[in-house]
């Protein structure tokens, strides 16, 4: 993927990831620290985590179609980078109450689940788009054959 398609895919992924991060933060917050309340600065956290989660998309940039093995290697590298960057962003300046193994593991698992959901969503959208284009191409070819 390259050029304009890469940028549009990055933006789509960013907003999907930020939405899923908000949901994960809500669920984990209710479970681990239901008594905590935040100010307006808490609204920035999902945006920062979303940015950290989408930066590794650069690994997928290519001027040519990737082979299956190349795609899988890049996806694994992308997942590792997402985990590292988001965990770093989440716990860089965290207080002692946040640096518990159960919280860190829950966040890491949430990152993985969000990564999988975002990739499944992207795959479904691409599959539907490919089907639509194939149908349009068949209709175009049929129309040309009738002329």
């Amino acid at each position: 993927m390259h050029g304009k398609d890469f940028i549009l895919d990055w933006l789509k992924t960013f907003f999907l990831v930020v939405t899923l991060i908000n949901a994960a933060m809500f669920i984990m917050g209710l479970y681990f620290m239901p008594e905590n309340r935040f100010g307006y600065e808490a609204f920035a956290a999902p945006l920062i985590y979303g940015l950290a989660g989408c930066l590794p998309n650069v690994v997928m940039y290519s001027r040519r179609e990737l082979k299956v093995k190349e795609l899988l290697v890049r996806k694994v590298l992308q997942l590792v980078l997402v985990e590292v960057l988001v965990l770093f962003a989440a716990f860089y300046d965290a207080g002692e109450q946040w640096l518990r193994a159960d919280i860190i593991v829950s966040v890491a698992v949430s990152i993985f689940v969000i990564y999988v959901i975002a990739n499944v969503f992207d795959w479904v959208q691409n599959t539907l788009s490919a089907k639509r284009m194939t149908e349009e191409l068949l209709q175009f070819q049929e129309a040309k054959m009738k002329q």
Side-chain angles (χ1 to χ4, degrees), residues 13-33:
T13 302
F14 175 78
F15 288 112
L16 175 65
V17 167
V18 168
T19 301
L20 294 171
I21 288 170
N22 275 321
M25 288 175 69
F26 172 73
I27 293 166
M28 287 190 300
L30 286 177
Y31 180 76
F32 287 112
M33 296 184 182

Side-chain angles (χ1 to χ4, degrees), residues 45-106:
L47 299 174
I48 293 167
Y49 303 150
L51 181 62
C54 289
L55 283 176
N57 282 9
V58 172
V59 170
M60 300 307 295
Y61 182 84
S62 176
R63 293 187 183 269
R64 61 175 175 77
E65 192 71 27
L66 296 173
K67 296 176 185 171
V68 174
K69 186 176 180 180
E70 292 173 327
L71 180 67
L72 291 175
V73 168
R74 287 185 187 208
K75 281 291 184 185
V76 169
L77 178 60
Q78 183 184 36
L79 173 59
V80 169
L81 289 171
V82 166
E83 286 280 356
V84 168
L85 288 173
V86 175
L87 286 172
F88 179 77
F91 296 106
Y92 172 70
D93 198 21
E96 194 65 33
Q97 76 272 18
W98 295 101
L99 298 176
R100 296 183 356 218
D102 57 341
I103 292 176
I104 294 170
V105 169
S106 295

